[in-house]
Amino acid sequence: MASRGFFVVFEGGDGVGKTTQIERLVALLRSPEGGAHDVVTTREPGGTDLGRELRQAVMHGGHVAPRAEALLYAADRAHHVASLVRPALEAGSVVVQDRYFDSSIVYQGGARGLGDEVERISLWATEGLIPDLTVVLDMEPVASRLERDLDRVERETAEHASAMRDGFLSLAARDPGRYVVIDAARTIEAVHADVAAAVADAMAPGTPPAAKGADS
Ligand code: TYD
């Protein structure tokens, strides 16, 4: 189903500054100089009432079997897209979202060895809704930069963060027209300037709309 709005998603590892950059972008898009757009800002997991319950279940409920975890994120996503994101896009809004199915592909698919199945489940859950633009905020994990004197747990955390980073970078490399990778290890202003330019470019008239079907 075609949508008239614009769907931009932020992805990246934990602590790369997505929240701050989303706030800055949303403020710009709503301002007269940014086009006075109608903007809906949301996140996964937990963008709806049901999603908040699913978020509790997946994030604070103790051990969750990997496949159950993947399905809880997918359930959150299915409900979120059907009840909030798609209606907003159909009403012509710009939807700015913190995390989407790339987080599942990287965290559940890559980290937990569930492979491409996670991607298929997400596409089914969302009826193939693909973002117009995905902004990957990229930063070398802090612990990898410290390197020396890491204990076992710190080393495992650093390795996990590096693997997640590589996962987002390879998704972006797979489809460069639909992704922008921005170096997030800079000032808030510098990162924001690049985010704003990338979003303006992608929203400019004449930019071919990203495919919105699962078959793309
Ligand atoms: P959150 O507290 O929203 O923080 P942030 O997005 O700023 O890191 O945490 C969301 C966590 O959920 C994050 O560690 C990534 C994880 N996650 C998945 O594992 N799979 C998913 O599909 C999504 C959307 C998130």
Coordinates of all heavy atoms in Angstrom, one line a residue, residues 57-140:
A57 N 7.9 -7.4 29.0 CA 8.1 -8.8 28.9 C 9.5 -9.2 28.4 O 10.2 -10.1 28.9 CB 7.0 -9.5 28.1
V58 N 9.9 -8.5 27.3 CA 11.2 -8.9 26.7 C 12.4 -8.3 27.4 O 13.4 -9.0 27.4 CB 11.1 -8.5 25.2 CG1 11.4 -7.0 25.0 CG2 12.1 -9.3 24.4
M59 N 12.2 -7.2 28.0 CA 13.4 -6.5 28.6 C 13.6 -6.7 30.1 O 14.7 -6.5 30.6 CB 13.5 -5.1 28.2 CG 13.6 -4.9 26.7 SD 13.6 -3.2 26.2 CE 15.2 -2.6 26.7
H60 N 12.5 -7.0 30.8 CA 12.6 -7.0 32.3 C 12.1 -8.3 32.9 O 11.9 -8.4 34.1 CB 11.9 -5.8 32.9 CG 12.4 -4.5 32.3 ND1 13.7 -4.0 32.6 CD2 11.9 -3.7 31.5 CE1 13.9 -2.9 32.0 NE2 12.8 -2.6 31.3
G61 N 11.9 -9.3 32.1 CA 11.2 -10.5 32.6 C 12.2 -11.7 32.8 O 11.7 -12.8 32.8
G62 N 13.5 -11.4 33.0 CA 14.4 -12.5 33.2 C 14.7 -13.2 31.9 O 14.5 -12.6 30.8
H63 N 15.2 -14.4 31.9 CA 15.6 -15.1 30.7 C 14.4 -15.3 29.8 O 13.3 -15.7 30.2 CB 16.2 -16.4 31.0 CG 16.5 -17.2 29.8 ND1 17.5 -16.9 28.9 CD2 15.9 -18.3 29.2 CE1 17.6 -17.8 27.9 NE2 16.6 -18.6 28.0
V64 N 14.6 -15.0 28.5 CA 13.6 -15.2 27.5 C 14.3 -16.1 26.4 O 15.3 -15.7 25.9 CB 13.1 -13.9 26.8 CG1 12.0 -14.2 25.8 CG2 12.5 -13.0 27.9
A65 N 13.6 -17.2 26.0 CA 14.2 -18.1 25.0 C 14.4 -17.2 23.7 O 13.6 -16.4 23.4 CB 13.3 -19.3 24.7
P66 N 15.6 -17.4 23.0 CA 15.9 -16.6 21.9 C 14.8 -16.4 20.8 O 14.5 -15.4 20.3 CB 17.1 -17.2 21.3 CG 17.8 -17.9 22.4 CD 16.7 -18.4 23.3
R67 N 14.1 -17.6 20.5 CA 13.0 -17.5 19.5 C 11.8 -16.7 20.1 O 11.1 -16.0 19.3 CB 12.6 -18.9 19.0 CG 13.6 -19.4 18.0 CD 13.4 -20.9 17.8 NE 14.6 -21.4 17.1 CZ 14.6 -21.6 15.8 NH1 13.6 -21.4 15.1 NH2 15.7 -22.1 15.2
A68 N 11.6 -16.9 21.3 CA 10.5 -16.1 22.0 C 10.8 -14.6 22.0 O 9.9 -13.8 21.7 CB 10.2 -16.6 23.4
E69 N 12.1 -14.3 22.3 CA 12.5 -12.9 22.2 C 12.3 -12.3 20.9 O 11.7 -11.2 20.7 CB 14.0 -12.9 22.6 CG 14.5 -11.4 22.7 CD 16.0 -11.4 23.0 OE1 16.4 -11.4 24.1 OE2 16.8 -11.4 22.0
A70 N 12.7 -13.0 19.8 CA 12.6 -12.5 18.4 C 11.1 -12.3 18.1 O 10.7 -11.3 17.5 CB 13.2 -13.5 17.5
L71 N 10.2 -13.2 18.6 CA 8.8 -13.1 18.3 C 8.1 -12.0 19.1 O 7.2 -11.3 18.6 CB 8.1 -14.4 18.6 CG 8.4 -15.5 17.5 CD1 7.9 -16.9 18.0 CD2 7.9 -15.2 16.2
L72 N 8.6 -11.7 20.3 CA 8.1 -10.6 21.1 C 8.4 -9.3 20.4 O 7.6 -8.4 20.3 CB 8.6 -10.6 22.5 CG 8.0 -11.7 23.4 CD1 8.8 -11.8 24.7 CD2 6.6 -11.4 23.8
Y73 N 9.7 -9.1 19.9 CA 10.0 -7.9 19.2 C 9.1 -7.8 17.9 O 8.7 -6.7 17.6 CB 11.5 -7.9 18.8 CG 12.4 -7.5 20.0 CD1 13.3 -8.4 20.5 CD2 12.4 -6.2 20.5 CE1 14.1 -8.0 21.6 CE2 13.2 -5.8 21.5 CZ 14.1 -6.7 22.1 OH 14.9 -6.4 23.1
A74 N 8.9 -8.9 17.3 CA 8.1 -8.9 16.0 C 6.7 -8.6 16.3 O 6.0 -7.9 15.6 CB 8.2 -10.3 15.3
A75 N 6.2 -9.1 17.5 CA 4.8 -8.8 17.8 C 4.6 -7.3 18.1 O 3.6 -6.7 17.7 CB 4.4 -9.6 19.1
D76 N 5.5 -6.8 18.9 CA 5.5 -5.3 19.1 C 5.5 -4.6 17.8 O 4.7 -3.6 17.6 CB 6.8 -5.0 19.9 CG 7.1 -3.5 20.0 OD1 6.3 -2.7 20.6 OD2 8.0 -3.0 19.4
R77 N 6.4 -5.0 16.9 CA 6.5 -4.3 15.6 C 5.2 -4.4 14.8 O 4.8 -3.4 14.2 CB 7.7 -4.9 14.9 CG 8.1 -4.3 13.5 CD 9.5 -4.7 13.2 NE 10.4 -4.2 14.2 CZ 11.3 -5.0 14.8 NH1 11.6 -6.2 14.4 NH2 12.1 -4.5 15.7
A78 N 4.6 -5.6 14.7 CA 3.4 -5.8 13.9 C 2.3 -4.9 14.4 O 1.7 -4.2 13.6 CB 3.0 -7.2 14.1
H79 N 2.1 -4.8 15.7 CA 1.1 -4.0 16.3 C 1.4 -2.5 16.1 O 0.5 -1.7 15.7 CB 0.9 -4.3 17.8 CG -0.3 -3.6 18.4 ND1 -1.6 -3.9 18.0 CD2 -0.3 -2.6 19.3 CE1 -2.4 -3.1 18.7 NE2 -1.6 -2.3 19.5
H80 N 2.6 -2.1 16.3 CA 3.1 -0.7 16.2 C 2.9 -0.2 14.7 O 2.4 0.9 14.5 CB 4.6 -0.7 16.6 CG 5.2 0.6 16.6 ND1 6.4 0.9 16.0 CD2 4.8 1.8 17.1 CE1 6.7 2.2 16.2 NE2 5.7 2.7 16.9
V81 N 3.3 -1.0 13.8 CA 3.2 -0.6 12.4 C 1.7 -0.5 12.0 O 1.3 0.5 11.4 CB 3.9 -1.6 11.4 CG1 3.5 -1.4 10.0 CG2 5.4 -1.3 11.6
A82 N 0.9 -1.5 12.4 CA -0.5 -1.5 11.9 C -1.3 -0.4 12.6 O -2.1 0.2 12.0 CB -1.1 -2.9 12.3
S83 N -1.0 -0.1 13.9 CA -1.9 0.8 14.6 C -1.3 2.2 14.6 O -2.1 3.1 14.9 CB -2.2 0.3 16.0 OG -1.0 0.2 16.8
L84 N 0.0 2.4 14.4 CA 0.5 3.8 14.6 C 1.3 4.3 13.3 O 1.0 5.3 12.8 CB 1.4 3.8 15.8 CG 1.8 5.2 16.3 CD1 2.0 5.1 17.9 CD2 3.1 5.7 15.7
V85 N 2.2 3.5 12.9 CA 3.2 4.0 11.8 C 2.5 4.1 10.5 O 2.5 5.1 9.8 CB 4.4 3.1 11.7 CG1 5.3 3.5 10.6 CG2 5.2 3.0 13.1
R86 N 1.8 3.0 10.1 CA 1.1 3.1 8.7 C 0.0 4.1 8.7 O 0.0 4.9 7.7 CB 0.6 1.7 8.4 CG 1.1 1.1 7.1 CD 0.5 -0.2 6.8 NE 1.4 -1.2 6.6 CZ 2.1 -1.4 5.4 NH1 1.9 -0.6 4.4 NH2 3.0 -2.4 5.3
P87 N -0.8 4.2 9.7 CA -1.8 5.3 9.7 C -1.2 6.7 9.6 O -1.7 7.5 8.9 CB -2.6 5.1 11.0 CG -2.5 3.6 11.3 CD -1.1 3.3 10.8
A88 N -0.1 6.9 10.3 CA 0.5 8.2 10.3 C 1.1 8.5 8.9 O 0.9 9.6 8.4 CB 1.6 8.3 11.3
L89 N 1.7 7.5 8.3 CA 2.3 7.7 6.9 C 1.1 7.9 5.9 O 1.2 8.8 5.1 CB 3.1 6.5 6.5 CG 4.4 6.3 7.3 CD1 5.0 4.9 6.9 CD2 5.4 7.4 7.0
E90 N 0.0 7.2 6.1 CA -1.1 7.4 5.2 C -1.7 8.8 5.3 O -2.3 9.3 4.4 CB -2.1 6.3 5.3 CG -1.6 5.0 4.6 CD -2.3 3.7 5.0 OE1 -3.3 3.8 5.8 OE2 -1.8 2.7 4.6
A91 N -1.6 9.3 6.6 CA -2.1 10.7 6.8 C -1.1 11.8 6.3 O -1.4 13.0 6.5 CB -2.5 10.9 8.3
G92 N 0.0 11.3 5.8 CA 1.0 12.3 5.3 C 2.0 12.8 6.3 O 2.8 13.7 6.0
S93 N 2.1 12.2 7.4 CA 3.1 12.6 8.4 C 4.5 12.1 8.1 O 4.7 11.1 7.4 CB 2.7 12.1 9.8 OG 1.5 12.6 10.2
V94 N 5.5 12.8 8.7 CA 6.8 12.2 8.7 C 6.9 11.4 10.0 O 6.6 11.9 11.1 CB 7.9 13.4 8.8 CG1 9.3 12.8 8.8 CG2 7.7 14.3 7.6
V95 N 7.3 10.2 9.9 CA 7.5 9.3 11.1 C 9.0 9.2 11.4 O 9.7 8.7 10.5 CB 6.8 7.9 10.9 CG1 7.1 7.0 12.1 CG2 5.3 8.1 10.7
V96 N 9.4 9.6 12.6 CA 10.8 9.5 13.0 C 10.8 8.4 14.1 O 10.2 8.6 15.1 CB 11.4 10.8 13.5 CG1 12.8 10.7 13.9 CG2 11.2 11.9 12.4
Q97 N 11.5 7.4 13.8 CA 11.4 6.2 14.7 C 12.8 5.8 15.2 O 13.7 5.7 14.5 CB 10.7 5.0 14.0 CG 10.5 3.8 14.8 CD 9.6 2.9 14.2 OE1 8.5 3.3 13.7 NE2 9.9 1.6 14.3
D98 N 12.8 5.5 16.5 CA 14.0 4.9 17.2 C 14.0 3.4 17.1 O 13.1 2.8 17.8 CB 14.0 5.4 18.7 CG 15.2 5.1 19.4 OD1 16.1 4.4 18.9 OD2 15.4 5.7 20.5
R99 N 14.8 2.8 16.2 CA 14.9 1.4 16.0 C 13.8 0.8 15.2 O 12.6 1.2 15.4 CB 15.1 0.6 17.3 CG 16.4 0.9 18.1 CD 16.7 -0.1 19.1 NE 17.9 0.2 19.9 CZ 19.1 0.0 19.5 NH1 19.3 -0.6 18.4 NH2 20.1 0.3 20.3
Y100 N 14.1 -0.2 14.4 CA 13.1 -0.9 13.6 C 13.7 -2.3 13.3 O 14.5 -2.8 14.1 CB 12.8 -0.1 12.3 CG 11.6 -0.6 11.6 CD1 10.4 -0.9 12.2 CD2 11.6 -0.6 10.2 CE1 9.2 -1.2 11.4 CE2 10.5 -1.0 9.4 CZ 9.3 -1.3 10.0 OH 8.2 -1.7 9.3
F101 N 13.3 -2.9 12.2 CA 13.7 -4.3 12.1 C 15.1 -4.6 11.9 O 15.6 -5.7 12.2 CB 12.8 -5.0 11.0 CG 12.8 -4.5 9.6 CD1 14.0 -4.2 8.9 CD2 11.6 -4.2 9.0 CE1 14.0 -3.7 7.6 CE2 11.6 -3.7 7.7 CZ 12.8 -3.4 7.0
D102 N 15.9 -3.6 11.6 CA 17.4 -3.9 11.5 C 17.9 -4.2 12.9 O 18.8 -5.0 13.0 CB 18.1 -2.6 11.0 CG 17.9 -2.5 9.5 OD1 17.5 -3.4 8.8 OD2 18.2 -1.4 8.9
S103 N 17.3 -3.6 14.0 CA 17.7 -4.0 15.3 C 17.5 -5.5 15.6 O 18.3 -6.2 16.2 CB 17.0 -3.2 16.4 OG 17.6 -1.9 16.5
S104 N 16.3 -6.0 15.1 CA 16.1 -7.4 15.3 C 17.0 -8.3 14.5 O 17.5 -9.3 14.9 CB 14.6 -7.8 14.8 OG 13.7 -7.4 15.8
I105 N 17.3 -7.8 13.2 CA 18.3 -8.6 12.4 C 19.6 -8.7 13.0 O 20.3 -9.7 13.1 CB 18.4 -8.0 11.0 CG1 17.0 -8.0 10.3 CG2 19.4 -8.7 10.1 CD1 16.9 -7.2 9.0
V106 N 20.1 -7.5 13.6 CA 21.4 -7.5 14.2 C 21.4 -8.1 15.6 O 22.3 -9.0 15.8 CB 21.9 -6.0 14.3 CG1 23.1 -5.9 15.1 CG2 22.1 -5.5 12.9
Y107 N 20.5 -7.8 16.4 CA 20.5 -8.3 17.8 C 20.0 -9.7 17.9 O 20.7 -10.6 18.5 CB 19.7 -7.4 18.8 CG 20.4 -6.1 19.1 CD1 20.2 -5.0 18.3 CD2 21.1 -5.9 20.3 CE1 20.8 -3.7 18.6 CE2 21.7 -4.7 20.6 CZ 21.6 -3.6 19.8 OH 22.2 -2.4 20.1
Q108 N 18.9 -10.0 17.3 CA 18.3 -11.4 17.5 C 18.9 -12.3 16.4 O 19.3 -13.4 16.6 CB 16.8 -11.4 17.4 CG 16.1 -11.0 18.7 CD 16.3 -9.6 19.0 OE1 16.0 -8.7 18.2 NE2 16.8 -9.3 20.2
G109 N 19.0 -11.8 15.1 CA 19.5 -12.6 14.0 C 20.9 -12.8 14.1 O 21.4 -14.0 14.2
G110 N 21.7 -11.8 14.2 CA 23.2 -11.9 14.3 C 23.6 -12.5 15.6 O 24.2 -13.6 15.6
A111 N 23.3 -11.8 16.7 CA 23.9 -12.2 17.9 C 23.4 -13.6 18.4 O 24.2 -14.3 19.0 CB 23.5 -11.2 19.0
R112 N 22.2 -13.9 18.1 CA 21.7 -15.1 18.7 C 21.6 -16.3 17.6 O 20.9 -17.3 17.9 CB 20.3 -14.9 19.3 CG 20.3 -13.8 20.4 CD 19.3 -14.0 21.4 NE 19.2 -12.7 22.2 CZ 20.0 -12.4 23.2 NH1 21.0 -13.1 23.5 NH2 19.7 -11.3 23.9
G113 N 22.1 -16.0 16.5 CA 22.3 -17.1 15.5 C 21.0 -17.5 14.9 O 20.8 -18.6 14.5
L114 N 20.0 -16.6 14.8 CA 18.7 -17.0 14.2 C 18.6 -16.6 12.7 O 17.6 -16.8 12.1 CB 17.5 -16.4 15.0 CG 17.4 -16.9 16.4 CD1 16.3 -16.2 17.1 CD2 17.1 -18.4 16.4
G115 N 19.7 -16.0 12.2 CA 19.9 -15.8 10.8 C 18.8 -15.0 10.1 O 18.1 -14.1 10.7
D116 N 18.6 -15.3 8.8 CA 17.7 -14.6 8.0 C 16.2 -14.8 8.4 O 15.4 -14.0 7.9 CB 17.8 -15.1 6.5 CG 19.2 -14.8 6.0 OD1 20.0 -14.0 6.6 OD2 19.6 -15.4 5.0
E117 N 16.0 -15.8 9.2 CA 14.5 -16.0 9.6 C 14.0 -14.8 10.2 O 12.8 -14.4 10.1 CB 14.5 -17.2 10.5 CG 14.6 -18.5 9.8 CD 14.7 -19.7 10.8 OE1 14.9 -19.4 12.0 OE2 14.5 -20.8 10.3
V118 N 14.8 -14.1 11.0 CA 14.4 -12.9 11.8 C 13.9 -11.8 10.8 O 12.9 -11.2 11.0 CB 15.5 -12.4 12.7 CG1 15.1 -11.1 13.3 CG2 15.7 -13.4 13.8
E119 N 14.7 -11.7 9.7 CA 14.3 -10.7 8.7 C 12.9 -11.0 8.1 O 12.1 -10.2 7.9 CB 15.4 -10.6 7.7 CG 15.1 -9.5 6.7 CD 16.3 -9.1 5.8 OE1 17.3 -9.9 5.9 OE2 16.3 -8.1 5.1
R120 N 12.8 -12.3 7.8 CA 11.5 -12.7 7.1 C 10.3 -12.5 8.1 O 9.3 -12.1 7.7 CB 11.6 -14.2 6.7 CG 12.3 -14.4 5.4 CD 12.0 -15.8 4.8 NE 12.5 -16.9 5.7 CZ 11.7 -17.8 6.3 NH1 10.4 -17.7 6.3 NH2 12.3 -18.7 7.1
I121 N 10.5 -12.8 9.3 CA 9.5 -12.6 10.3 C 9.1 -11.2 10.4 O 7.9 -10.8 10.5 CB 9.9 -13.2 11.7 CG1 9.9 -14.7 11.6 CG2 9.0 -12.8 12.8 CD1 10.7 -15.4 12.8
S122 N 10.1 -10.3 10.4 CA 9.8 -8.9 10.5 C 9.1 -8.3 9.3 O 8.2 -7.5 9.4 CB 11.1 -8.1 10.7 OG 11.4 -7.8 12.1
L123 N 9.5 -8.8 8.1 CA 8.8 -8.3 6.9 C 7.3 -8.8 6.9 O 6.4 -8.1 6.5 CB 9.5 -8.8 5.7 CG 10.8 -8.0 5.4 CD1 11.6 -8.7 4.3 CD2 10.5 -6.6 5.0
W124 N 7.1 -10.0 7.4 CA 5.8 -10.6 7.5 C 5.0 -9.7 8.5 O 3.9 -9.3 8.3 CB 5.8 -12.0 7.9 CG 4.4 -12.6 8.1 CD1 3.6 -13.0 7.1 CD2 3.7 -12.8 9.3 NE1 2.4 -13.5 7.7 CE2 2.4 -13.3 9.0 CE3 4.0 -12.5 10.7 CZ2 1.5 -13.6 10.0 CZ3 3.1 -12.8 11.7 CH2 1.8 -13.4 11.3
A125 N 5.6 -9.4 9.7 CA 4.9 -8.7 10.7 C 4.5 -7.3 10.3 O 3.5 -6.8 10.7 CB 5.9 -8.6 12.0
T126 N 5.3 -6.7 9.4 CA 5.1 -5.3 9.0 C 4.4 -5.2 7.7 O 4.2 -4.1 7.1 CB 6.4 -4.5 8.9 OG1 7.2 -5.2 8.0 CG2 7.1 -4.5 10.3
E127 N 4.0 -6.4 7.1 CA 3.5 -6.4 5.7 C 4.4 -5.7 4.8 O 4.0 -4.9 3.9 CB 2.1 -5.9 5.7 CG 1.1 -6.7 6.5 CD -0.3 -6.2 6.4 OE1 -1.0 -6.5 5.4 OE2 -0.8 -5.5 7.3
G128 N 5.7 -5.8 5.0 CA 6.7 -5.3 4.1 C 7.0 -3.8 4.2 O 7.4 -3.2 3.2
L129 N 6.7 -3.2 5.3 CA 6.9 -1.7 5.3 C 8.4 -1.4 5.6 O 8.9 -1.7 6.6 CB 6.1 -1.1 6.5 CG 6.3 0.5 6.6 CD1 5.6 1.2 5.4 CD2 5.7 1.0 7.9
I130 N 9.0 -0.8 4.5 CA 10.4 -0.6 4.6 C 10.6 0.9 4.7 O 9.9 1.7 4.1 CB 11.1 -1.1 3.3 CG1 11.0 -2.6 3.3 CG2 12.5 -0.7 3.1 CD1 11.4 -3.3 2.0
P131 N 11.6 1.4 5.6 CA 11.8 2.8 5.7 C 12.2 3.5 4.4 O 12.9 2.9 3.6 CB 12.9 2.9 6.8 CG 12.9 1.6 7.5 CD 12.4 0.6 6.5
D132 N 11.9 4.8 4.3 CA 12.4 5.6 3.2 C 13.9 5.8 3.4 O 14.6 5.9 2.4 CB 11.6 6.9 3.1 CG 10.2 6.7 2.7 OD1 9.9 6.2 1.6 OD2 9.3 6.9 3.6
L133 N 14.2 6.0 4.7 CA 15.7 6.3 5.0 C 16.0 5.7 6.3 O 15.2 5.9 7.3 CB 15.9 7.8 5.0 CG 17.4 8.2 5.4 CD1 18.3 7.8 4.2 CD2 17.5 9.7 5.6
T134 N 17.1 5.0 6.4 CA 17.6 4.5 7.7 C 18.9 5.2 8.0 O 19.8 5.1 7.2 CB 17.7 3.0 7.7 OG1 16.4 2.4 7.5 CG2 18.3 2.5 9.1
V135 N 18.9 5.9 9.2 CA 20.1 6.6 9.6 C 20.9 5.7 10.6 O 20.3 5.4 11.7 CB 19.8 7.9 10.3 CG1 21.0 8.6 10.8 CG2 19.0 8.8 9.3
V136 N 22.0 5.2 10.2 CA 22.8 4.4 11.2 C 23.8 5.4 11.8 O 24.7 6.0 11.2 CB 23.6 3.3 10.4 CG1 24.5 2.6 11.4 CG2 22.6 2.3 9.8
L137 N 23.7 5.5 13.1 CA 24.7 6.3 13.9 C 25.8 5.4 14.3 O 25.6 4.4 15.0 CB 24.0 7.0 15.1 CG 22.9 8.0 14.8 CD1 22.4 8.7 16.1 CD2 23.5 9.1 13.8
D138 N 26.9 5.6 13.8 CA 28.0 4.7 13.9 C 29.1 5.2 14.8 O 29.6 6.4 14.7 CB 28.6 4.4 12.5 CG 29.8 3.4 12.6 OD1 29.6 2.4 13.2 OD2 30.9 3.8 12.1
M139 N 29.5 4.3 15.8 CA 30.6 4.7 16.7 C 31.3 3.5 17.1 O 30.7 2.5 17.4 CB 30.0 5.4 17.9 CG 30.9 6.2 18.8 SD 30.1 6.7 20.3 CE 29.1 8.0 19.8
E140 N 32.7 3.6 17.2 CA 33.4 2.5 17.8 C 33.1 2.4 19.2 O 33.1 3.3 20.0 CB 34.9 2.8 17.6 CG 35.8 1.6 18.0 CD 37.3 2.0 17.9 OE1 37.6 3.1 17.6 OE2 38.1 1.0 18.1

